[in-house]
């Protein structure tokens, strides 16, 4: 930008970035002194670092969870970004401002999962030190009751059952006993 005011020779000033564009961290303030003898202009360079922040949605075993719907709110409660998780982490770098605080809110959890509580975070990641936010959902627990009956509807005693997950592993009850 071009400063359209005259600064006084020999005086010291501080240039501070008051707001930053999404996707960047604010530059550090620059202190400078206007020389007593100089040309009619001087150049001051400020460098904004790129922000780097991703969200990874997992279950309690660290497996990625797809289909979770999220909103991100700024400190005033305004919706900044909405997204749905997939098998990959979601890159939020271009949507958020470095140094700002946001709230990650799960609008809808995928079937079979509990929604996580809201999570506040500050954008601190850079290209050199990326920031990863782990958002975790717990699986819902369901109670299953089995009742073995004959084809005429009479209860049958002594039946034994085994429940297996989709990978063929025997499922355990809350006490660690095989189901």
């Amino acid at each position: 930008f071009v400063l359209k005011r005259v600064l006084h020779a020999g005086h010291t000033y501080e240039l501070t970035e008051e707001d930053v564009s999404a996707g960047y961290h604010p530059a550090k303030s620059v202190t400078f002194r206007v020389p007593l003898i100089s040309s009619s202009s001087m150049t001051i360079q400020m460098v904004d670092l790129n922000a780097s922040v991703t969200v990874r949605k997992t279950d309690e075993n660290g497996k990625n969870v797809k289909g979770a719907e999220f909103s991100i709110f700024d400190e005033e409660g305004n919706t900044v970004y909405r997204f749905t998780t997939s098998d990959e982490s979601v890159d939020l770098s271009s949507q958020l401002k470095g140094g700002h605080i946001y709230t990650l809110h799960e609008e809808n959890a995928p079937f079979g999962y509990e929604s996580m509580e809201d999570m506040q975070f500050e954008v601190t990641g850079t290209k050199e030190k990326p920031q990863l936010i782990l958002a975790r959902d717990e699986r819902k627990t369901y109670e299953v009751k089995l009742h073995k009956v004959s084809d005429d509807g009479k209860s049958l005693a002594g039946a034994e059952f085994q429940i297996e997950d989709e990978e063929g592993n025997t499922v355990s009850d809350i006490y660690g006993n095989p189901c």
Side-chain angles (χ1 to χ4, degrees), residues 88-105:
E88 303 292 323
S89 297
V90 178
D91 186 356
L92 305 174
S93 302
S94 65
Q95 306 300 321
L96 307 178
K97 296 178 179 185
H100 286 237
I101 295 173
Y102 296 94
T103 300
L104 179 65
H105 172 74

Side-chain angles (χ1 to χ4, degrees), residues 17 19-28 46-53 92-100 102 122-127 131:
E17 188 171 15
D19 197 15
V20 66
S21 299
Y24 296 94
H25 286 277
K28 292 181 181 177
M46 296 181 84
V47 178
D48 288 347
L49 297 176
N50 289 339
S52 178
V53 59
L92 305 174
S93 302
S94 65
Q95 306 300 321
L96 307 178
K97 296 178 179 185
H100 286 237
Y102 296 94
E122 179 179 359
V123 176
T124 59
T126 63
K127 279 187 178 181
Q131 180 179 6

